[in-house]
Amino acid sequence: MSLSGWGNNLSIFSNVYNPENNDEIINIILKDKISNFVTRGLGRSYGDSSLADNIISLKNYKKFFNFDENKGIIECSSNYSLGELIKIILEKGWFFNVTPGSKFVTVGGAVASDVHGKNHHLDGSFSDYVVSLKIITAEGKLYNCSRNENQQLFQATCGGMGLTGIIVSAKIQLLKLKSKFIDTQIIKTKNLKETIVKFKELNNNKYIIAWIDTTAKNEAKGRSIIFIGNHLDDGDLKFEEKKTISIPIKFSGFILNKYTIKLFNKIYYHFHKHKKKFKQSLNDFFYPHDNINNWNNLYGKNGFIQIQILIEEKDPKIIINKILDFFQEREQHSFLGSIKEFGKGNGNYLSFPNKGYTLTLELKMTEKLNEVYQEFEDLLKKHKTKIYLTKDSFMSEQYFKKTYGNYNKFKKIKNKYDPLNLINSFQSYRIGI
């Protein structure tokens, strides 16, 4: 079967296995004796982290969940998407403590990527609310792991990109809610300096993220639209299915070019009103991209890459300005860009977040982008930075090992539970895990 990541920038042929239960997973490992395999959920990682010669897909795995409505703890099979669970938990007054920007992500994928959201500065990562996991390792053994049981396996699995085994279930602590609505406010800034100042002023709010105009120059460089959100308590918890539109085919590549991208950024900035306040559904606040099915087709047959950079320096403006200049000078324009503030990291060996700011860029795939990226990495090496594995397509082994300080701890645990190094992805080969 031909597969690609969400960015559609690499397509490979894989043998796909579709087990329905734990026994079938163990048989695939022990009797079929497959190697070079990785688990795949809904394929929402952007690059090659869920691509391998052999894929264990949990699409047909029999789903189950148990929900303690009083304590807000749900235990479920890892192939549930967040969207499917929201339908179950929202009307009971519960939501996720941390959610990424798409609900079309499986629980297993959220754990493996240790996803973060618009509230990391206050509430941390997804795995901080994972009570325990069940995982089948490359030796065909089922383990329970948590912060108190098989702790090192837990720390390697949360954020471990599926390289420690097949996550088959998770127990998660949820967030108590009184409304399905968010009290949203918009703040427009004139440049990057003002954007960072506003983040510092506003970071007591539950959720905060900024869209950044990556094409603006001179005195307007780094101008942004900051979205601030806090939960309402109006008692309305009724779940309503959101109507969506779909892009069923890949667009022609010429539609998104430097001129249309610049035009979009300009229009988007001027469209939003400063200090506007409004009530917004959870769906629209957290998952705006999900309103367009297959939005990745907008980028055409060659796809796109997304890069999320963690900046841990005291003054993030210096490196962010350099990054904006770098891509503008090379006419590699980001269709969408965002800035978020992170709080303290959690100590999981390959988890991405740590204290600082992140800049996310979304770039159309071109012939010279690979070369441009190598230059970009040279720029990043001069600063205290890090790139998110879930959104990575090009990272070098040298940069990965330099920036992921707990790499050796992760490798030690992977070797313990996968001594024959059977679990691999195209990404793990590239970065030398």
Side-chain angles (χ1 to χ4, degrees):
M1 178 183 290
S2 180
L3 295 172
S4 65
W6 186 246
N8 286 328
N9 55 59
L10 173 67
S11 181
I12 60 101
F13 184 85
S14 298
N15 300 308
V16 180
Y17 297 81
N18 294 285
E20 296 183 8
N21 53 52
N22 290 349
D23 288 340
E24 290 188 9
I25 292 174
I26 293 169
N27 281 338
I28 289 168
I29 295 171
L30 298 182
K31 291 186 178 180
D32 293 352
K33 295 183 177 180
I34 63 171
S35 60
N36 298 328
F37 71 89
V38 75
T39 315
R40 184 177 171 96
L42 291 173
R44 285 297 178 120
S45 55
Y46 284 75
D48 51 3
S49 61
S50 66
L51 300 178
D53 292 332
N54 296 289
I55 298 290
I56 293 182
S57 169
L58 297 184
K59 180 180 178 181
N60 295 339
Y61 188 89
K62 187 174 181 181
K63 293 180 177 177
F64 70 88
F65 76 91
N66 297 301
F67 184 21
D68 185 331
E69 296 179 20
N70 294 318
K71 295 181 178 179
I73 295 178
I74 190 165
E75 184 172 17
C76 63
S77 54
S78 64
N79 57 345
Y80 267 101
S81 72
L82 301 189
E84 289 174 309
L85 293 177
I86 290 170
K87 294 178 184 179
I88 299 168
I89 65 177
L90 182 59
E91 292 191 348
K92 304 295 183 181
W94 298 97
F95 191 61
F96 297 104
N97 278 282
V98 172
T99 179
S102 174
K103 61 181 178 291
F104 300 133
V105 173
T106 63
V107 167
V111 172
S113 292
D114 198 8
V115 294
H116 49 270
K118 299 174 176 67
N119 57 330
H120 190 279
H121 63 293
L122 295 179
D123 301 318
S125 298
F126 187 86
S127 75
D128 296 333
Y129 303 92
V130 173
V131 178
S132 62
L133 300 169
K134 287 185 171 65
I135 180 170
I136 298 174
T137 65
E139 295 181 293
K141 297 179 181 179
L142 178 67
Y143 287 88
N144 297 311
C145 60
S146 67
R147 292 171 185 83
N148 300 312
E149 182 181 10
N150 297 310
Q151 181 186 8
Q152 290 181 318
L153 180 58
F154 182 83
Q155 286 184 276
T157 300
C158 296
M161 304 308 293
L163 299 174
T164 58
I166 300 97
I167 302 166
V168 293
S169 69
K171 184 182 289 187
I172 304 164
Q173 176 64 61
L174 301 173
L175 172 70
K176 187 64 178 173
L177 286 189
K178 295 182 179 179
S179 176
K180 66 180 180 184
F181 291 108
I182 295 288
D183 182 20
T184 304
Q185 183 178 10
I186 288 174
I187 301 292
K188 289 177 73 172
T189 65
K190 297 176 182 178
N191 50 47
L192 181 60
K193 181 179 180 180
E194 188 179 345
T195 301
I196 300 299
V197 168
K198 287 297 180 183
F199 262 103
K200 294 182 185 301
E201 291 178 0
L202 299 166
N203 66 6
N204 61 324
N205 288 279
K206 179 78 168 174
Y207 305 104
I208 180 168
I209 189 171
W211 168 89
I212 181 172
D213 182 351
T214 61
T215 67
K217 296 183 178 182
N218 303 321
E219 67 276 2
K221 186 166 60 176
R223 65 184 182 183
S224 302
I225 301 166
I226 301 175
F227 297 89
I228 304 154
N230 293 284
H231 291 286
L232 289 172
D233 60 357
D234 59 13
D236 186 350
L237 291 164
K238 185 178 179 182
F239 176 81
E240 294 179 354
E241 194 74 61
K242 179 74 176 180
K243 291 184 178 180
T244 61
I245 62 174
S246 184
I247 302 175
I249 60 172
K250 291 181 173 63
F251 273 35
S252 176
F254 73 85
I255 292 177
L256 282 184
N257 55 59
K258 64 181 181 180
Y259 303 108
T260 57
I261 290 173
K262 286 180 180 179
L263 180 62
F264 168 79
N265 276 263
K266 186 175 183 179
I267 292 173
Y268 191 82
Y269 179 79
H270 289 290
F271 175 78
H272 287 84
K273 295 180 179 179
H274 182 52
K275 292 188 177 179
K276 181 181 179 182
K277 293 184 178 181
F278 56 104
K279 185 167 78 170
Q280 198 171 19
S281 70
L282 291 172
N283 196 76
D284 288 339
F285 183 80
F286 291 111
Y287 315 118
H289 278 57
D290 290 348
N291 293 331
I292 305 175
N293 292 324
N294 301 314
W295 60 264
N296 55 342
N297 284 338
L298 284 168
Y299 283 91
K301 65 178 182 179
N302 293 325
F304 69 103
I305 69 167
Q306 197 172 101
I307 310 171
Q308 186 168 12
I309 310 111
L310 170 62
I311 299 157
E312 298 182 81
E313 297 195 343
K314 186 175 181 180
D315 186 357
K317 297 190 299 297
I318 295 172
I319 179 60
I320 293 175
N321 272 315
K322 287 183 179 180
I323 292 170
L324 295 176
D325 288 341
F326 178 90
F327 286 107
Q328 286 181 7
E329 288 166 4
R330 288 156 182 80
E331 296 193 332
Q332 300 290 313
H333 299 291
S334 178
F335 182 55
L336 291 173
S338 66
I339 296 180
K340 287 192 289 192
E341 184 181 6
F342 277 170
K344 186 179 178 181
N346 55 25
N348 294 330
Y349 303 141
L350 295 186
S351 286
F352 172 69
N354 208 354
K355 185 70 176 175
Y357 287 83
T358 71
L359 173 67
T360 302
L361 304 173
E362 199 168 280
L363 304 166
K364 181 181 175 182
M365 189 67 181
T366 62
E367 288 184 7
K368 71 174 186 177
L369 188 54
N370 192 10
E371 180 182 337
V372 167
Y373 177 84
Q374 301 311 314
E375 293 180 56
F376 177 58
E377 209 171 77
D378 290 338
L379 169 64
L380 295 184
K381 288 175 185 175
K382 299 173 184 176
H383 300 267
K384 195 173 182 183
T385 60
K386 188 178 181 181
I387 289 176
Y388 190 24
L389 291 168
T390 301
K391 297 180 179 180
D392 159 60
S393 297
F394 289 140
M395 193 191 316
S396 70
E397 179 176 347
Q398 180 189 31
Y399 182 79
F400 167 71
K401 291 181 177 179
K402 172 183 169 62
T403 57
Y404 279 78
N406 287 323
Y407 154 73
N408 285 322
K409 291 181 180 178
F410 174 83
K411 188 66 175 175
K412 182 179 178 180
I413 300 304
K414 176 169 165 49
N415 289 343
K416 177 181 177 180
Y417 292 96
D418 182 13
L420 299 178
N421 198 29
L422 300 178
I423 304 176
N424 292 288
S425 64
F426 280 88
Q427 180 187 60
S428 71
Y429 280 124
R430 171 165 48 82
I431 62 177
I433 299 181

